[in-house]
Short mmCIF file of all heavy atoms in Angstrom, two decimals:
data_model
loop_
_atom_site.label_atom_id
_atom_site.label_comp_id
_atom_site.label_asym_id
_atom_site.label_seq_id
_atom_site.Cartn_x
_atom_site.Cartn_y
_atom_site.Cartn_z
N MET A 689 0.83 -1.13 0.01
CA MET A 689 -0.06 0.05 0.05
C MET A 689 0.79 1.26 -0.05
O MET A 689 1.82 1.33 0.69
CB MET A 689 -0.91 0.00 1.22
CG MET A 689 -1.86 1.12 1.36
SD MET A 689 -2.86 1.26 2.77
CE MET A 689 -3.91 -0.11 2.66
N SER A 690 0.65 2.16 -0.86
CA SER A 690 1.43 3.41 -0.99
C SER A 690 0.65 4.59 -0.18
O SER A 690 -0.46 4.63 -0.16
CB SER A 690 1.72 3.77 -2.39
OG SER A 690 0.43 4.05 -3.01
N GLN A 691 1.61 5.46 0.31
CA GLN A 691 1.07 6.57 1.06
C GLN A 691 0.89 7.81 0.11
O GLN A 691 1.72 7.88 -0.79
CB GLN A 691 1.98 7.06 2.15
CG GLN A 691 1.93 6.05 3.48
CD GLN A 691 2.58 6.71 4.55
OE1 GLN A 691 3.76 7.17 4.34
NE2 GLN A 691 2.04 6.64 5.78
N ILE A 692 -0.17 8.56 0.41
CA ILE A 692 -0.38 9.78 -0.35
C ILE A 692 0.37 10.87 0.38
O ILE A 692 0.17 11.11 1.50
CB ILE A 692 -1.89 10.04 -0.52
CG1 ILE A 692 -2.58 9.01 -1.28
CG2 ILE A 692 -2.17 11.40 -1.28
CD1 ILE A 692 -4.12 8.98 -1.23
N PRO A 693 1.18 11.70 -0.27
CA PRO A 693 1.87 12.76 0.35
C PRO A 693 0.84 13.86 0.77
O PRO A 693 -0.03 14.18 0.12
CB PRO A 693 2.87 13.33 -0.57
CG PRO A 693 2.43 12.75 -2.07
CD PRO A 693 1.47 11.57 -1.76
N ASP A 694 1.23 14.43 1.94
CA ASP A 694 0.44 15.53 2.60
C ASP A 694 0.86 16.90 1.90
O ASP A 694 1.90 17.25 2.21
CB ASP A 694 0.48 15.40 4.01
CG ASP A 694 -0.22 16.52 4.69
OD1 ASP A 694 -1.24 17.10 3.95
OD2 ASP A 694 -0.26 16.64 6.00
N THR A 695 -0.07 17.33 1.13
CA THR A 695 0.27 18.70 0.47
C THR A 695 -0.11 19.90 1.38
O THR A 695 0.15 21.06 0.83
CB THR A 695 -0.47 18.73 -0.83
OG1 THR A 695 -1.91 18.68 -0.62
CG2 THR A 695 -0.08 17.67 -1.81
N ASN A 696 -0.68 19.69 2.45
CA ASN A 696 -1.01 20.83 3.34
C ASN A 696 0.19 21.16 4.34
O ASN A 696 -0.04 22.03 5.12
CB ASN A 696 -2.30 20.53 4.04
CG ASN A 696 -3.44 20.53 3.11
OD1 ASN A 696 -3.46 21.13 2.21
ND2 ASN A 696 -4.30 19.47 3.46
N THR A 697 1.28 20.45 4.36
CA THR A 697 2.30 20.84 5.22
C THR A 697 3.15 21.96 4.67
O THR A 697 3.35 21.98 3.44
CB THR A 697 3.11 19.57 5.51
OG1 THR A 697 3.74 19.05 4.29
CG2 THR A 697 2.33 18.52 6.15
N ALA A 698 3.78 22.70 5.59
CA ALA A 698 4.58 23.79 5.17
C ALA A 698 5.92 23.27 4.85
O ALA A 698 6.44 22.18 5.32
CB ALA A 698 4.77 24.82 6.34
N PRO A 699 6.68 23.89 4.01
CA PRO A 699 8.06 23.44 3.64
C PRO A 699 8.92 23.51 4.93
O PRO A 699 8.76 24.38 5.73
CB PRO A 699 8.47 24.49 2.53
CG PRO A 699 7.62 25.58 2.59
CD PRO A 699 6.41 25.10 3.24
N THR A 700 9.87 22.61 4.85
CA THR A 700 10.71 22.48 6.09
C THR A 700 11.82 23.53 6.20
O THR A 700 12.33 23.80 7.19
CB THR A 700 11.43 21.08 6.14
OG1 THR A 700 12.17 20.84 5.02
CG2 THR A 700 10.36 20.05 6.31
N HIS A 701 12.15 24.04 4.98
CA HIS A 701 13.21 25.14 4.96
C HIS A 701 12.73 26.28 4.06
O HIS A 701 12.43 26.06 2.96
CB HIS A 701 14.52 24.50 4.31
CG HIS A 701 15.62 25.39 4.33
ND1 HIS A 701 15.98 26.25 3.34
CD2 HIS A 701 16.59 25.78 5.21
CE1 HIS A 701 17.04 26.99 3.53
NE2 HIS A 701 17.34 26.76 4.82
N GLN A 702 12.94 27.46 4.57
CA GLN A 702 12.42 28.69 3.77
C GLN A 702 13.57 29.73 3.95
O GLN A 702 13.95 29.93 5.11
CB GLN A 702 11.14 29.15 4.28
CG GLN A 702 10.58 30.41 3.55
CD GLN A 702 9.29 30.79 4.05
OE1 GLN A 702 8.99 30.35 5.11
NE2 GLN A 702 8.64 31.66 3.31
N THR A 703 13.93 30.32 2.94
CA THR A 703 14.98 31.30 2.96
C THR A 703 14.26 32.67 3.23
O THR A 703 13.35 33.02 2.38
CB THR A 703 15.73 31.43 1.76
OG1 THR A 703 16.40 30.17 1.60
CG2 THR A 703 16.93 32.48 1.88
N ILE A 704 14.59 33.44 4.17
CA ILE A 704 14.11 34.84 4.48
C ILE A 704 15.15 35.83 4.31
O ILE A 704 16.31 35.66 4.96
CB ILE A 704 13.46 34.85 5.93
CG1 ILE A 704 12.35 33.87 6.01
CG2 ILE A 704 13.04 36.27 6.16
CD1 ILE A 704 11.79 33.65 7.36
N ASP A 705 15.04 36.83 3.49
CA ASP A 705 15.97 37.82 3.27
C ASP A 705 16.19 38.58 4.61
O ASP A 705 15.13 38.83 5.31
CB ASP A 705 15.60 38.83 2.18
CG ASP A 705 15.63 38.15 0.70
OD1 ASP A 705 16.32 37.22 0.77
OD2 ASP A 705 14.85 38.70 -0.09
N THR A 706 17.28 38.94 5.02
CA THR A 706 17.60 39.63 6.24
C THR A 706 18.32 40.96 5.98
O THR A 706 19.28 40.94 5.10
CB THR A 706 18.39 38.82 7.17
OG1 THR A 706 17.79 37.62 7.50
CG2 THR A 706 18.74 39.45 8.44
N TYR A 707 17.91 42.11 6.38
CA TYR A 707 18.50 43.35 6.20
C TYR A 707 18.86 44.03 7.60
O TYR A 707 18.05 43.91 8.47
CB TYR A 707 17.48 44.36 5.43
CG TYR A 707 17.05 43.65 4.19
CD1 TYR A 707 15.87 42.98 4.05
CD2 TYR A 707 17.82 43.85 2.94
CE1 TYR A 707 15.58 42.47 2.86
CE2 TYR A 707 17.43 43.37 1.87
CZ TYR A 707 16.31 42.60 1.76
OH TYR A 707 15.92 42.02 0.54
N ASP A 708 19.93 44.67 7.63
CA ASP A 708 20.46 45.39 8.82
C ASP A 708 19.72 46.85 8.86
O ASP A 708 19.81 47.55 7.80
CB ASP A 708 21.88 45.60 8.77
CG ASP A 708 22.31 46.28 10.06
OD1 ASP A 708 22.12 47.54 10.19
OD2 ASP A 708 22.83 45.64 10.97
N ALA A 709 18.87 47.04 9.78
CA ALA A 709 18.13 48.29 9.82
C ALA A 709 18.97 49.47 9.77
O ALA A 709 18.65 50.52 9.11
CB ALA A 709 17.14 48.38 11.10
N ARG A 710 20.11 49.47 10.45
CA ARG A 710 21.16 50.63 10.41
C ARG A 710 21.62 50.95 9.07
O ARG A 710 22.01 51.90 8.61
CB ARG A 710 22.12 50.42 11.48
CG ARG A 710 21.52 50.36 12.93
CD ARG A 710 22.61 50.65 13.92
NE ARG A 710 21.92 50.43 15.27
CZ ARG A 710 21.22 51.28 15.99
NH1 ARG A 710 21.10 52.54 15.45
NH2 ARG A 710 20.80 50.90 17.13
N ALA A 711 21.84 49.78 8.21
CA ALA A 711 22.24 49.95 6.89
C ALA A 711 21.18 50.61 6.02
O ALA A 711 21.45 51.39 5.03
CB ALA A 711 22.66 48.55 6.24
N LEU A 712 19.92 50.22 6.33
CA LEU A 712 18.85 50.87 5.52
C LEU A 712 18.57 52.31 5.84
O LEU A 712 18.18 53.17 5.01
CB LEU A 712 17.44 50.17 5.85
CG LEU A 712 17.27 48.75 5.39
CD1 LEU A 712 15.97 48.02 5.82
CD2 LEU A 712 17.27 48.70 3.87
N ILE A 713 18.81 52.71 7.12
CA ILE A 713 18.65 54.02 7.54
C ILE A 713 20.08 54.64 7.52
O ILE A 713 20.75 54.83 8.72
CB ILE A 713 17.98 54.16 8.99
CG1 ILE A 713 16.63 53.34 8.80
CG2 ILE A 713 17.85 55.51 9.44
CD1 ILE A 713 15.97 53.14 10.16
N LYS A 714 20.49 55.14 6.39
CA LYS A 714 21.98 55.44 6.29
C LYS A 714 22.20 56.73 7.15
O LYS A 714 23.44 56.93 7.56
CB LYS A 714 22.38 55.57 4.85
CG LYS A 714 22.29 54.33 4.08
CD LYS A 714 22.59 54.42 2.65
CE LYS A 714 22.43 52.92 2.17
NZ LYS A 714 22.87 52.71 0.84
N ASP A 715 21.31 57.74 7.16
CA ASP A 715 21.65 58.93 7.88
C ASP A 715 21.44 58.77 9.45
O ASP A 715 21.64 59.80 10.14
CB ASP A 715 20.76 60.07 7.35
CG ASP A 715 19.38 59.99 7.52
OD1 ASP A 715 18.96 58.93 8.09
OD2 ASP A 715 18.49 60.86 7.10
N GLY A 716 20.89 57.59 9.79
CA GLY A 716 20.74 57.34 11.19
C GLY A 716 19.52 57.74 11.80
O GLY A 716 19.26 57.76 12.89
N VAL A 717 18.58 58.37 10.88
CA VAL A 717 17.37 58.93 11.37
C VAL A 717 16.12 58.16 10.80
O VAL A 717 15.40 57.67 11.53
CB VAL A 717 17.24 60.43 10.96
CG1 VAL A 717 15.94 60.96 11.43
CG2 VAL A 717 18.37 61.20 11.62
N GLN A 718 16.09 58.11 9.45
CA GLN A 718 14.75 57.67 8.82
C GLN A 718 14.99 57.24 7.38
O GLN A 718 15.91 57.75 6.70
CB GLN A 718 13.73 58.81 8.80
CG GLN A 718 12.37 58.48 8.24
CD GLN A 718 11.46 59.48 8.54
OE1 GLN A 718 10.87 59.64 9.59
NE2 GLN A 718 11.21 60.41 7.56
N ALA A 719 14.34 56.09 7.11
CA ALA A 719 14.26 55.63 5.58
C ALA A 719 12.88 55.58 5.11
O ALA A 719 11.95 55.36 5.84
CB ALA A 719 15.00 54.24 5.58
N SER A 720 12.72 55.75 3.86
CA SER A 720 11.38 55.64 3.22
C SER A 720 11.32 54.31 2.49
O SER A 720 12.28 53.89 1.86
CB SER A 720 11.06 56.85 2.43
OG SER A 720 12.03 56.93 1.37
N ILE A 721 10.17 53.57 2.54
CA ILE A 721 9.96 52.36 1.95
C ILE A 721 8.62 52.36 1.14
O ILE A 721 7.72 52.97 1.67
CB ILE A 721 9.83 51.12 2.94
CG1 ILE A 721 11.19 51.09 3.80
CG2 ILE A 721 9.55 49.84 2.24
CD1 ILE A 721 11.06 50.16 5.05
N VAL A 722 8.74 52.04 -0.02
CA VAL A 722 7.59 52.17 -0.95
C VAL A 722 6.97 50.76 -1.23
O VAL A 722 7.66 49.80 -1.50
CB VAL A 722 7.89 52.77 -2.39
CG1 VAL A 722 6.67 52.95 -3.23
CG2 VAL A 722 8.57 54.20 -2.11
N LEU A 723 5.65 50.62 -0.98
CA LEU A 723 4.83 49.45 -1.23
C LEU A 723 3.75 49.80 -2.02
O LEU A 723 2.76 50.44 -1.44
CB LEU A 723 4.65 48.62 0.05
CG LEU A 723 3.71 47.38 -0.09
CD1 LEU A 723 4.46 46.36 -0.88
CD2 LEU A 723 3.28 46.85 1.21
N ASP A 724 3.52 49.32 -3.30
CA ASP A 724 2.20 49.65 -4.08
C ASP A 724 1.99 51.11 -4.05
O ASP A 724 0.87 51.54 -3.79
CB ASP A 724 1.10 48.85 -3.55
CG ASP A 724 1.29 47.32 -3.66
OD1 ASP A 724 2.05 46.89 -4.50
OD2 ASP A 724 0.80 46.56 -2.76
N ALA A 725 2.90 51.94 -4.37
CA ALA A 725 2.83 53.40 -4.54
C ALA A 725 2.54 54.05 -3.13
O ALA A 725 2.19 55.30 -3.16
CB ALA A 725 1.85 53.70 -5.55
N GLN A 726 2.61 53.25 -2.00
CA GLN A 726 2.39 53.94 -0.84
C GLN A 726 3.74 54.12 -0.19
O GLN A 726 4.60 53.19 -0.07
CB GLN A 726 1.48 53.13 0.14
CG GLN A 726 0.10 53.02 -0.26
CD GLN A 726 -0.74 54.19 -0.12
OE1 GLN A 726 -0.67 54.84 1.01
NE2 GLN A 726 -1.56 54.55 -1.06
N VAL A 727 4.00 55.21 0.49
CA VAL A 727 5.26 55.55 1.22
C VAL A 727 5.19 55.30 2.68
O VAL A 727 4.27 55.76 3.32
CB VAL A 727 5.78 56.85 0.93
CG1 VAL A 727 7.12 57.14 1.49
CG2 VAL A 727 5.93 57.15 -0.69
N TYR A 728 6.09 54.50 3.25
CA TYR A 728 6.18 54.23 4.65
C TYR A 728 7.48 54.70 5.13
O TYR A 728 8.42 54.74 4.40
CB TYR A 728 5.92 52.73 4.93
CG TYR A 728 4.72 52.24 4.56
CD1 TYR A 728 4.37 51.77 3.28
CD2 TYR A 728 3.58 52.08 5.46
CE1 TYR A 728 3.18 51.25 2.82
CE2 TYR A 728 2.46 51.41 5.11
CZ TYR A 728 2.18 51.11 3.80
OH TYR A 728 0.99 50.63 3.47
N TYR A 729 7.59 55.05 6.43
CA TYR A 729 8.84 55.61 6.99
C TYR A 729 9.22 54.74 8.01
O TYR A 729 8.49 54.41 8.94
CB TYR A 729 8.61 57.08 7.49
CG TYR A 729 8.21 57.94 6.24
CD1 TYR A 729 6.90 58.26 6.09
CD2 TYR A 729 9.22 58.47 5.41
CE1 TYR A 729 6.60 59.12 5.17
CE2 TYR A 729 8.81 59.30 4.39
CZ TYR A 729 7.49 59.49 4.16
OH TYR A 729 7.16 60.34 3.14
N LEU A 730 10.60 54.26 8.07
CA LEU A 730 11.14 53.49 9.08
C LEU A 730 12.15 54.34 9.70
O LEU A 730 13.10 54.93 9.22
CB LEU A 730 11.80 52.19 8.42
CG LEU A 730 12.48 51.26 9.34
CD1 LEU A 730 11.44 50.51 10.15
CD2 LEU A 730 13.37 50.14 8.57
N ARG A 731 12.10 54.34 11.08
CA ARG A 731 12.98 55.12 11.93
C ARG A 731 13.44 54.32 13.17
O ARG A 731 12.64 53.34 13.60
CB ARG A 731 12.55 56.42 12.27
CG ARG A 731 11.45 56.43 13.24
CD ARG A 731 10.93 57.91 13.60
NE ARG A 731 9.95 57.96 14.57
CZ ARG A 731 10.14 58.08 15.94
NH1 ARG A 731 11.34 58.12 16.34
NH2 ARG A 731 9.11 58.00 16.74
N ILE A 732 14.58 54.62 13.59
CA ILE A 732 15.12 53.92 14.89
C ILE A 732 15.05 55.03 15.96
O ILE A 732 15.41 56.10 15.82
CB ILE A 732 16.55 53.51 14.65
CG1 ILE A 732 16.73 52.58 13.48
CG2 ILE A 732 17.09 52.82 15.92
CD1 ILE A 732 18.12 52.20 13.18
N THR A 733 14.29 54.61 17.02
CA THR A 733 14.25 55.54 18.18
C THR A 733 15.54 55.59 18.98
O THR A 733 16.49 54.85 18.77
CB THR A 733 13.13 55.10 19.17
OG1 THR A 733 13.52 53.83 19.83
CG2 THR A 733 11.78 54.87 18.43
N HIS A 734 15.55 56.52 19.93
CA HIS A 734 16.76 56.76 20.79
C HIS A 734 16.90 55.44 21.71
O HIS A 734 18.05 55.17 22.07
CB HIS A 734 16.59 57.95 21.68
CG HIS A 734 16.63 59.23 20.98
ND1 HIS A 734 17.88 59.55 20.28
CD2 HIS A 734 15.68 60.12 20.59
CE1 HIS A 734 17.65 60.76 19.73
NE2 HIS A 734 16.38 61.05 19.86
N ALA A 735 15.79 54.70 21.92
CA ALA A 735 15.81 53.52 22.76
C ALA A 735 16.31 52.25 21.79
O ALA A 735 16.40 51.13 22.40
CB ALA A 735 14.52 53.33 23.37
N GLY A 736 16.61 52.41 20.54
CA GLY A 736 16.83 51.34 19.68
C GLY A 736 15.62 50.55 19.23
O GLY A 736 16.00 49.40 18.65
N LYS A 737 14.41 51.06 19.22
CA LYS A 737 13.25 50.34 18.62
C LYS A 737 12.99 50.86 17.33
O LYS A 737 13.38 51.94 16.91
CB LYS A 737 12.12 50.68 19.53
CG LYS A 737 12.19 50.43 20.97
CD LYS A 737 12.28 48.89 21.27
CE LYS A 737 12.40 48.65 22.78
NZ LYS A 737 12.64 47.35 23.22
N LEU A 738 12.42 50.01 16.51
CA LEU A 738 12.07 50.38 15.10
C LEU A 738 10.54 50.87 15.14
O LEU A 738 9.66 50.15 15.66
CB LEU A 738 12.12 49.09 14.26
CG LEU A 738 13.67 48.79 13.79
CD1 LEU A 738 13.57 47.45 13.05
CD2 LEU A 738 14.31 49.79 13.12
N ILE A 739 10.36 51.86 14.35
CA ILE A 739 8.94 52.34 14.23
C ILE A 739 8.70 52.46 12.65
O ILE A 739 9.53 53.07 12.00
CB ILE A 739 8.82 53.80 14.83
CG1 ILE A 739 9.14 53.86 16.25
CG2 ILE A 739 7.43 54.36 14.59
CD1 ILE A 739 8.29 53.20 17.13
N LEU A 740 7.58 51.90 12.10
CA LEU A 740 7.20 51.98 10.82
C LEU A 740 5.99 52.61 10.79
O LEU A 740 4.99 52.37 11.40
CB LEU A 740 7.01 50.62 10.13
CG LEU A 740 6.63 50.48 8.70
CD1 LEU A 740 7.69 51.03 7.91
CD2 LEU A 740 6.28 49.07 8.32
N THR A 741 5.78 53.84 10.03
CA THR A 741 4.57 54.64 9.96
C THR A 741 4.54 55.00 8.45
O THR A 741 5.14 54.83 7.64
CB THR A 741 4.76 56.06 10.59
OG1 THR A 741 5.94 56.75 10.17
CG2 THR A 741 5.00 55.86 12.15
N LYS A 742 3.16 55.38 8.24
CA LYS A 742 2.64 55.70 6.95
C LYS A 742 2.74 57.25 6.61
O LYS A 742 2.67 58.06 7.51
CB LYS A 742 1.25 55.32 6.76
CG LYS A 742 0.85 55.16 5.29
CD LYS A 742 -0.49 54.41 5.22
CE LYS A 742 -0.87 54.08 3.89
NZ LYS A 742 -2.24 53.63 3.70
#
């Protein structure tokens, strides 16, 4: 008897691109990111947290 493979399982290995936030925010203050013609702003706070706003 043969088994039918389960097609509903997630792949065991997935590559995720990784970016350094400080490299994206070159002036140390803010970077703009565009998604579908919408502009978002990524900034690093004094406490080292990331904030993404529209």
